[in-house]
Each structure stands twice: as structure tokens, then as C-alpha cells.
Amino acid sequence: MSVYDPLRQKLETIQGASLCLSFADLEAILGKPLPVSAYKFTAWWGNNCKVGHAQTLAWLRAGFKARSVSLKNHTVEFHRVDKSRSGNRQSGTV
């Protein structure tokens, strides 16, 4: 079981094409703080599954990619890769 399974589970319930979450929203979903590197490096939010980072695998397995990361505003948008379930963009609410 991965620390990021709660994020994967949350994303799997989303019907829209994208979801914008604050880092605080993500921490509430995970039940723990994000690592410092999530706040400092956009590379932490990368979508390269070959590297095998647990956080990346969580959103990719849910059918999403991380995009529009703002380290300044502490936000990230997840965009659906699987278009068959897409609808409108949703704002994050935990």
C-alpha cells in the first residue's frame, strides 16, 4: 500500500476532465504533509512513470496527469488522460 493511495482513490471518483487542488487539499486527502520537495521542485510533480515515484504512479493509475503546478500558489491541476470519463473541470473540495 502506498502513502499516495488516498489520492489515487480520490481521483478515481472525479467525473470531470480536470481537478485543481491546493497543496493543503492534498495533505488533507493524504492525512499527512507533502514532502518538502513537493513545495520546492516542479520535478516532484512530473508524470514520468519510468522513474517510478509513488506519487506519480498514484495519479497515473487513476487516469490523470499533473499539470499547471504553481509552487508560488501551492496548487496543482490534475487533467484526465482517459477522456471517456471527462466532463467539466472541478475545483477541489475535500
Side-chain angles (χ1 to χ4, degrees), residues 22-24 27 33-42 44-45 70-72 74:
S22 69
F23 291 4
E27 292 173 337
L34 289 168
V36 173
S37 55
Y39 284 87
K40 289 187 173 185
F41 306 108
T42 56
W44 190 91
W45 299 96
S70 173
L71 298 180
K72 178 182 175 185
H74 296 168

Side-chain angles (χ1 to χ4, degrees), residues 8-52:
R8 178 188 49 78
Q9 292 166 349
K10 172 70 174 174
L11 290 172
E12 287 175 344
T13 68
I14 301 304
Q15 296 300 313
S18 64
L19 175 68
C20 184
L21 294 172
S22 69
F23 291 4
D25 290 335
L26 285 167
E27 292 173 337
I29 291 167
L30 297 174
K32 63 179 279 175
L34 289 168
V36 173
S37 55
Y39 284 87
K40 289 187 173 185
F41 306 108
T42 56
W44 190 91
W45 299 96
N47 295 299
N48 185 351
C49 64
K50 292 180 183 176
V51 176

